[in-house]
Amino acid sequence: MLLRMSTLFLRTLREDPADAEVPSHKLLVRAGYVRRVAPGIYSWLPLGKIVLENITRVVREEMNRIGAQEVLFPALLPRDYYEATGRWTEYGDTLFRLKDRKGADYLLGPTHEEMFTDMVKGEYSSYKDYPVTLYQIQTKYRDEARPRAGILRGREFVMKDSYSFDLDDDGLKHSYETHREAYIRIFDRLGIDYRIVFAMSGAMGGSASEEFLAPCATGEDTFVACHNCGYAANAEAVVTPAPPAVTTGHPALEVLDTPDTPTIESLVNYVNEHHGLRITAADTLKNVVVKVRTPGSDKAETLIIGVPGDREVDFKRLEAAVSPGVPEIFEAEDFVRHPGLVRGYIGPQVLKSLGIRYLVDPRVVDGSAWVTGANEPGKHAAHVVAGRDFEADGTIEAADVRAGDSCPRCGHPLSIDRGIEIGHIFQLGRKYADAAGLDALGPDGKPIRITMGSYGVGVSRAVAVLAEQRHDELGLVWPREVAPADVHIVGTGKENQIDVATQLAEELESRGLRVLVDDRAGVSPGVKFKDSELLGLPTVLIVGRGLAQGVVELRDRVTGTKEEIPLAEALDRVLAACQA
RNA sequence: CGGGGCGUGGCGCAGCUUGGUAGCGCGCUUGCUUUGGGAGCAAGAAGCCGCAGGUUCAAAUCCUGUCGCCCCGACCA
């Protein structure tokens, strides 16, 4: 179907919308691809809808290629399915809840593990039925605390979610690998720049988990990469290499007067000046108190985390490390309830007797000596040796990660970047199968508990990611596979220019290209050029002033090249450009 | 939920300090001119100034309350 600007439901905007901050949001709104309806909720206009469908098509083709079968669940779901796994309560405020006319509880599906598990349980019962992989491309609902950046993080979004069901761990590994390859093909075809990074399997349980991150300044995730060995991981999942244990003797623990040293920096300066030490912040041991609450209960455990003084506790990493527990700030009133903890002067020496759990950064190995709190106001202790003067209850990955930190695999310095999560694959294991009692009857007549994998692609988010990664100061620059059309033919308006442009458009359409033609009368050339750059189709053909001399202009939106070509060659040249 | 900003024709904004006629740019309509880089002239249409209450002869403007939105931090495709 030929797209004609004269009738296309489209109005481009000359100015950025006031509520947009990131490039993808500004451009998708300005170019008339999407319009905001409510926070985190957007409508798709004709051109945007075409792009979204193109991405959907690629995802569907690649899922079908690995033998996954498409199904479709309702977005509107009754409460009971999510009651069984406890997620009706666990999901908290992020769940959109509603009631029907009888007062029964419903929800708008944020994700569909329960539904898929239940569906398979309802249909399959023999080991001969497995393995099986099902997927859907569907609208999800999450009442995000703070939707942001337009399409990038909405409360309603399109997601492809798939689930593999296998009889054993080897089968799961195979399903996982198959998905991984499918995702590589999907994102390659879409023209998205991405990295595959290790991720936390976290709350969902299970073992292996990787994320597909699109590197991007506006990304919400932080990841590290090693340019020597190729290791890459979400900052949450980075493993800190532990230095070898120290065995050399240390002087005995010594308590020092350190008045007015509330910060690490002031402490370092003070002990170097007044106590003859030569230490840096990295030689001090900072002890951070938090509470860890178990979801669905009011009980909170007090936990102290020891990290080198030059590092902060990264709340995101801490959260991932204590998951499914939820870390909370230790407030002033909590200190009142724990008189043994001297705020600002906490040292690990007394924690055993206080019965408080103490976890340390992996850098705090046995035999390492530290300057830390002496559990008395105004006093610190030096030569506090791990394993001699205190015992930790274990290690924890909670200290912040920085560019230049050592790669856990090869020791080279790590780089650090931001990215947008566009895909996530992981080996779920048996959590949902356990909850649902999903078994297959084995050849020996005994039940086999099914093991699952779960895999997601942010389909609508991919539109925004492409806009984010592929644009210039003039507008969008779509990869051909997802562009709303292959070629944008612009008739600039004098005499028969529009007629010729339309004829070319019809001819190219009949030869299989997807064509947008600017056939608007009475619109100045400048406006048409600006619009074509803003809309971002990969190939542009200008039928303008050169027509009288029998030439038209062929432009490449990606490279910016412009070339005058004879009208007679226009069809072949455009076809060649679009099929390259 | 904590912090910051903002609600005025479809879009982007001014006006508010110091109450009195609602204004500018873009877009839209009509006519004439123009047509290779967001054209010109002329004439138009379109606004419960977020909502509610209060002060006042008079409120976009002052007061109180309330709702909403955007941005920054803790969640996630």
Side-chain angles (χ1 to χ4, degrees), chain A residues 162-183:
Chain A
S162 47
Y163 304 88
S164 63
F165 300 85
D166 281 280
L167 293 168
D168 53 34
D169 292 350
D170 284 346
L172 170 57
K173 280 202 184 70
H174 179 258
S175 295
Y176 180 88
E177 279 307 318
T178 306
H179 264 87
R180 195 176 192 274
E181 286 158 20
Y183 277 30

Side-chain angles (χ1 to χ4, degrees), chain A residues 124-130 167 438-450:
Chain A
Y124 275 8
S125 47
S126 161
Y127 73 96
K128 296 175 194 163
D129 296 324
Y130 291 91
L167 293 168
L438 177 59
D439 290 327
L441 194 59
D444 56 0
K446 289 181 182 158
I448 303 168
R449 182 54 41 95
I450 295 301

Side-chain angles (χ1 to χ4, degrees), chain A residues 208-231:
Chain A
S209 168
E210 287 168 293
E211 286 172 344
F212 288 69
L213 294 185
C216 185
T218 52
E220 297 180 275
D221 284 273
T222 305
F223 70 99
V224 302
C226 173
H227 300 288
N228 183 52
C229 72
Y231 171 84

Side-chain angles (χ1 to χ4, degrees), chain A residues 491-494 498 518-529 531:
Chain A
T492 55
K494 251 186 173 176
I498 287 176
D518 194 343
D519 57 346
R520 292 175 294 177
V523 175
S524 74
V527 170
K528 293 190 175 189
F529 296 152
D531 276 346

Side-chain angles (χ1 to χ4, degrees), chain A residues 267-340:
Chain A
L267 170 66
V268 169
N269 289 338
Y270 190 90
V271 298
N272 284 346
E273 198 171 317
H274 294 85
H275 295 290
L277 299 182
R278 281 179 301 174
I279 63 164
T280 68
D283 299 311
T284 67
L285 183 59
K286 176 158 64 182
N287 298 292
V288 179
V289 196
V290 296
K291 292 183 290 187
V292 177
R293 193 169 49 80
T294 312
S297 110
D298 291 333
K299 273 186 265 174
E301 183 204 3
T302 300
L303 171 67
I304 299 188
I305 296 159
V307 297
D310 61 334
R311 295 197 182 248
E312 300 297 326
V313 168
D314 179 331
F315 223 75
K316 261 189 161 174
R317 297 197 74 209
L318 172 61
E319 195 146 38
V322 301
S323 178
V326 180
E328 290 174 356
I329 304 285
F330 200 74
E331 310 281 0
E333 68 237 35
D334 296 311
F335 275 101
V336 173
R337 277 197 294 274
H338 290 269

